[in-house]
Amino acid sequence: MRKYNSRKRILVTGGAGFLGSHLIDRLLGRGDEVVCVDNLFTGSKRNVEHLFDNPRFEFIRHDVTFPLFIEVDQIYNLACPASPVHYQHDPVQTTKTSVHGAINMLGLAKRVRARIFQASTSEVYGDPSMHPQIEEYWGNVNPIGQRSCYDEGKRCAETLFFDYHRQHGLDIRVARIFNTYGPRMHPNDGRVVSNFIVQALNDEDITLYGDGQQTRSFCFVDDLVEGFLRFMDIPNDEGHQYGFPGPINLGNPCEFTIRQLAELVIRLTGSKSKLVFRPLPLDDPKQRQPDIALAKKMLNWEPRIELEAGLKRTVEYFERELSSAS
């Protein structure tokens, strides 16, 4: 295998998805070779079609619940539906993707001695009793609820990553991703940012659950991908036998209520939408805010793009998408 100071051949699972496609753009932009693997359940070829003529890009349609045999230097494991609408559509398959997918990618990393990144989630903290959430917090998760396929699937994947690290000396990186938004979000994924923008652009009622006072922290995708790259590129000579494995929180610590987000989207779109309220879904977290002190220390990283600036770029993307579809 090539050494880390030369051009890398990098596998990105879930590479045709929202986060994966932005990550691939950055990897190709710095000169790496990228193999994009996606079964296109929630990902889309449209997210990567601008790369098809790039000789350093390769697309493979494949489901990570089945083994994959390929020679690579690094692996970013991003494959898994990440929105409640999608991961609750087939909850058994969601758990399989998190658990079997982790086993298969860890087995591949062990065979080729690749460094491997796991896209974990703030959902491992559940409906947190600690605020903001630090990496040492073990979480408050319902193991048998409607969201458990995703929450517990990701928690089990973290267990597998650290057991492979301890038992086999695998070079791992585990990042816990908080709410992220930006261009290429799926318009029907049920996430709050895409929901509000699509509803506002169509002058439809904007749906809030509960009283709208539950909080979230929103990180623009460019900032998040920068955190991915800095985390993955920590060398193995800084006092850690295998670099810094994590887990590490990656997200924006600026906290907003869901109602504040809705009102900001209405203002940015000039929409005539009205706010309507529905019952709060089961196990929906009331607060979600990362403590990113560890990311600041280890990666010299923190988000730079403020919510209004990022939302403007996201609104422009959805405006183009909706106009092209009409």
Side-chain angles (χ1 to χ4, degrees):
M1 300 298 294
R2 285 163 291 225
K3 296 182 179 179
Y4 283 113
N5 59 0
S6 64
R7 175 186 288 179
K8 302 179 186 70
R9 180 171 166 84
I10 299 175
L11 169 63
V12 179
T13 71
F18 164 48
L19 296 182
S21 62
H22 283 280
L23 172 62
I24 289 172
D25 284 343
R26 286 291 304 273
L27 293 172
L28 291 171
R30 72 181 192 180
D32 292 317
E33 300 174 13
V34 178
V35 180
C36 170
V37 166
D38 204 299
N39 68 353
L40 302 181
F41 173 60
T42 57
S44 171
K45 279 189 178 180
R46 290 187 61 194
N47 289 337
V48 292
E49 64 184 3
H50 62 289
L51 304 173
F52 287 168
D53 292 333
N54 189 319
R56 290 182 284 105
F57 175 78
E58 180 180 354
F59 176 81
I60 300 174
R61 186 164 183 171
H62 179 81
D63 190 322
V64 296
T65 61
F66 298 95
L68 180 68
F69 300 97
I70 191 171
E71 301 298 322
V72 292
D73 303 301
Q74 290 187 351
I75 301 168
Y76 287 83
N77 185 38
L78 275 59
C80 189
S83 73
V85 168
H86 290 148
Y87 67 63
Q88 291 175 11
H89 172 73
D90 188 346
V92 172
Q93 185 63 27
T94 296
T95 302
K96 285 182 177 180
T97 300
S98 289
V99 177
H100 292 184
I103 290 170
N104 288 330
M105 290 304 107
L106 287 162
L108 173 61
K110 179 185 173 186
R111 182 176 69 82
V112 300
R113 303 308 301 172
R115 181 176 297 171
I116 182 168
F117 175 101
Q118 168 65 4
S120 191
T121 172
S122 60
E123 298 295 337
V124 302
Y125 298 123
D127 188 5
S129 57
M130 171 181 284
H131 190 74
Q133 292 81 60
I134 61 174
E135 289 83 356
E136 289 80 9
Y137 176 55
W138 288 357
N140 177 36
V141 178
N142 177 358
I144 59 171
Q146 293 180 349
R147 302 170 67 102
S148 305
C149 58
Y150 185 69
D151 302 359
E152 296 288 28
K154 289 289 190 177
R155 285 163 68 94
C156 185
E158 286 197 14
T159 300
L160 287 162
F161 266 71
F162 278 90
D163 282 339
Y164 266 80
H165 175 63
R166 289 184 287 258
Q167 186 171 338
H168 301 295
L170 209 59
D171 191 0
I172 67 167
R173 305 285 190 272
V174 175
R176 292 173 177 166
I177 302 167
F178 285 69
N179 289 60
T180 306
Y181 70 99
R184 301 182 195 160
M185 293 185 79
H186 196 292
N188 300 315
D189 66 3
R191 298 191 211 190
V192 65
V193 172
S194 52
N195 265 7
F196 286 1
I197 291 176
V198 170
Q199 289 172 334
L201 290 175
N202 290 325
D203 287 324
E204 300 170 351
D205 290 340
I206 289 184
T207 308
L208 279 74
Y209 294 95
D211 58 5
Q213 295 305 305
Q214 64 269 42
T215 65
R216 295 293 185 271
S217 306
F218 302 99
C219 185
F220 191 67
V221 62
D222 291 358
D223 282 331
L224 187 77
V225 169
E226 177 65 25
F228 284 6
L229 297 175
R230 292 192 187 195
F231 188 20
M232 195 64 154
D233 290 342
I234 292 179
N236 288 347
D237 58 358
E238 296 186 356
H240 301 275
Q241 184 180 1
Y242 297 105
F244 173 63
I248 195 166
N249 290 336
L250 293 179
N252 195 319
C254 297
E255 189 178 17
F256 295 87
T257 68
I258 298 302
R259 180 163 189 152
Q260 285 177 315
L261 175 68
E263 291 169 346
L264 179 55
V265 167
I266 289 173
R267 178 167 65 81
L268 292 177
T269 57
S271 176
K272 300 176 183 177
S273 297
K274 306 297 182 184
L275 302 183
V276 297
F277 296 86
R278 299 285 184 267
L280 194 67
L282 189 65
D283 297 328
D284 191 57
K286 299 176 185 64
Q287 292 181 305
R288 187 57 59 72
Q289 180 189 20
D291 183 311
I292 62 168
L294 188 60
K296 289 179 179 179
K297 175 184 176 182
M298 298 300 300
L299 312 181
N300 191 29
W301 175 88
E302 61 182 317
R304 303 292 183 187
I305 299 171
E306 295 183 354
L307 180 61
E308 183 164 342
L311 281 177
K312 286 180 180 177
R313 291 169 60 180
T314 310
V315 166
E316 291 169 359
Y317 167 79
F318 278 106
E319 285 176 331
R320 292 193 300 271
E321 289 295 293
L322 293 176
S323 63
S324 66
S326 60

